[in-house]
Amino acid sequence: MRRRVAGNLWIIGGLLLLALGLATGAVAQQQKVVIAVTSPQSGPQAAWGSELIRGAELALAEYDPKKLKFKYEILPLDDQADPKVGLTVANKLKVDKDVMGVIGPWNSGVAIPASPVYSEAKLPLFAIASDPKLTRQGFTNIFRTVSTNDFQAIGGEAYLVGELKKKRVAIIHDNTIPGVTISEIFRDMAKKDKAEIVMFEGVSWGERDWSPVLTSLKQKNADALYLVTVFADVALAMKQMKDLGMNLTVLGPDGMYSDELITLGGPAVEGACATALGADVNKLPSASKFVSAFKAKYNESPQQYSVFAYEDMHILIKAIEKAGKKDRAAILKAVREVTPYDGALGRTAFNGRGDTVNQVIGIFCVKDGKWGYLKTADIPKDRMPK
């Protein structure tokens, strides 16, 4: 009897090993597919770039590799927020036959000059860059799950002028193409609402001495400042505003929405507000699974960008699996077939240009030394960008 039981155990064990071997062999035979993530992964914007990698990793981790047709790998590439480096990255990915999709770039100034290369390569590009010009070039390979800067400018204006009733508004931008574009959209909307634009000036990234422009601003008797630059420069500007005794309502776009703003600016940035390219993901019922997974793996709450890479990765995997072959044109076609997609952001569907129709602008403000979610912007229907 004991000998028969032992024999049965040997047989069961052998079958289990055979099954394991077959499964392992099946995974080993899968063709490799690479999804690249290009973003600033060094320098002052590295935290934002790293958010994209985290989001993509979390999405991939939700799949059982044995049930996929391909073996997926994530390839992080640091474009350093530099258009020249971004172009080098694009040309590298163009000739890599394993790369079937790209998440990023994060910067519009990187994405726009690199976009013809990605288009020529027929690579599905899920950009985080939010300048509306990116998807208005006629390319058919670009998609965005993030909201865009035209919505962001109109949403910010609706809050600052429409709700807070600010009537003398100064605008300072960072001299970049996206910075000037969003500032111009904001300015035009504010003028329609009878607000006076008392200043429209540019201060380039990295400027250490804001005193000339701030001294001029102080003489304009403004009651609000729309400050269009990144968090490090905002922190410096607001510290120098405090030194000059200036007390203005300050609102800026998503580039200032970072914990680093508070670290660098301290009490000087108390009360500052920023628009973001979506609602607070931590409060979205549809994103609860993503938020829980993020906290479990990284021991912190997600900020604003990782959820977009998470959503992009899911859509890319579903499109590649549906295409069933390493064919970029077929995968592009499949992206349109697997969307609308119901995920962490709710329902994502792309318009003819590749932009999500689920455009949401969140407003966050610094209170008691930390960012707090205020609300989503109330954009009048007749001002929705076409």
Side-chain angles (χ1 to χ4, degrees):
M1 182 65 180
R2 184 179 297 172
R3 184 178 298 171
R4 186 184 302 168
V5 171
N8 288 342
L9 288 175
W10 275 106
I11 292 171
I12 293 170
L15 289 172
L16 287 173
L17 286 172
L18 178 60
L20 180 62
L22 288 172
T24 304
V27 172
Q29 290 172 8
Q30 290 170 324
Q31 285 185 286
K32 181 173 76 173
V33 161
V34 173
I35 306 296
V37 178
T38 173
S39 57
Q41 293 159 26
S42 61
Q45 299 175 19
W48 289 329
S50 298
E51 278 193 55
L52 307 190
I53 301 170
R54 288 178 165 189
E57 288 177 341
L58 284 176
L60 181 57
E62 291 181 4
Y63 293 87
D64 181 349
K66 297 189 295 294
K67 295 182 179 179
L68 295 172
K69 294 173 183 171
F70 300 97
K71 180 182 178 183
Y72 292 87
E73 293 182 8
I74 295 171
L75 175 64
L77 290 168
D78 183 7
D79 61 33
Q80 301 172 34
D82 184 324
K84 292 181 180 177
V85 179
L87 203 54
T88 300
V89 168
N91 280 302
K92 178 181 179 179
L93 297 177
K94 175 184 173 182
V95 298
D96 187 331
K97 300 304 180 187
D98 287 327
V99 177
M100 292 294 122
V102 180
I103 297 173
W106 183 87
N107 302 81
S108 296
V110 175
I112 291 173
S115 56
V117 178
Y118 289 116
S119 176
E120 187 178 340
K122 294 184 172 57
L123 259 173
L125 184 72
F126 281 70
I128 309 299
S130 52
D131 192 299
K133 292 188 181 75
L134 178 62
T135 53
R136 298 187 181 197
Q137 304 175 94
F139 300 138
T140 57
N141 65 309
I142 303 175
F143 303 92
R144 287 193 284 206
T145 53
V146 296
S147 299
T148 48
N149 279 354
D150 42 359
F151 278 86
Q152 189 171 199
I154 295 171
E157 192 275 341
Y159 174 66
L160 195 65
V161 178
E163 293 186 41
L164 298 187
K165 308 298 182 187
K166 301 299 180 183
K167 294 299 182 186
R168 293 179 59 82
V169 180
I171 300 173
I172 300 177
H173 57 75
D174 59 6
N175 282 324
T176 64
I177 294 174
V180 173
T181 301
I182 194 171
S183 298
E184 290 175 342
I185 296 171
F186 182 100
R187 177 195 61 193
D188 294 345
M189 287 295 159
K191 285 183 175 178
K192 283 185 179 178
D193 286 335
K194 310 300 182 188
E196 182 179 357
I197 304 302
V198 299
M199 172 181 278
F200 191 90
E201 295 281 348
V203 176
S204 298
W205 282 4
E207 175 60 58
R208 303 301 300 170
D209 183 10
W210 284 67
S211 58
V213 69
L214 293 179
T215 301
S216 175
L217 171 59
K218 191 174 182 180
Q219 298 171 353
K220 303 291 185 183
N221 194 29
D223 56 9
L225 171 62
Y226 188 53
L227 187 50
V228 183
T229 189
V230 293
F231 61 85
D233 288 1
V234 172
L236 187 61
M238 293 192 70
K239 288 172 81 172
Q240 295 184 16
M241 286 172 62
K242 187 176 182 182
D243 292 342
L244 289 170
M246 300 172 69
N247 184 23
L248 293 176
T249 297
V250 175
L251 174 74
D254 59 309
M256 68 183 278
Y257 176 48
S258 165
D259 287 342
E260 287 297 306
L261 175 77
I262 299 167
T263 301
L264 296 171
V269 302
E270 184 72 16
C273 295
T275 51
L277 301 172
D280 184 358
V281 67
N282 294 285
K283 299 184 186 304
L284 279 179
S286 57
S288 59
K289 180 181 177 182
F290 161 75
V291 172
S292 296
F294 193 99
K295 288 179 177 177
K297 183 166 185 178
Y298 301 113
N299 199 31
E300 60 182 283
S301 297
Q303 292 202 5
Q304 61 174 326
Y305 298 111
S306 54
V307 69
F308 299 117
Y310 173 86
E311 211 80 324
D312 296 342
M313 190 70 181
H314 274 304
I315 295 172
L316 270 168
I317 290 175
K318 292 182 184 308
I320 294 167
E321 292 289 305
K322 185 172 183 63
K325 53 186 176 181
K326 292 172 66 172
D327 181 323
R328 292 170 176 176
I331 294 166
L332 273 176
K333 181 173 180 286
V335 169
R336 293 287 182 179
E337 294 170 350
V338 300
T339 52
Y341 168 72
D342 293 309
L345 296 170
R347 170 155 287 203
T348 292
F350 298 114
N351 64 19
R353 295 191 301 270
D355 286 327
T356 179
V357 299
N358 183 23
Q359 298 265 350
V360 178
I361 299 299
I363 299 174
F364 297 77
C365 296
V366 179
K367 185 178 180 182
D368 298 328
K370 60 183 181 181
W371 284 107
Y373 181 57
L374 184 63
K375 57 178 291 189
T376 56
D378 297 322
I379 302 177
K381 288 185 178 179
D382 62 346
R383 292 190 173 181
M384 288 290 200
K386 304 300 182 188

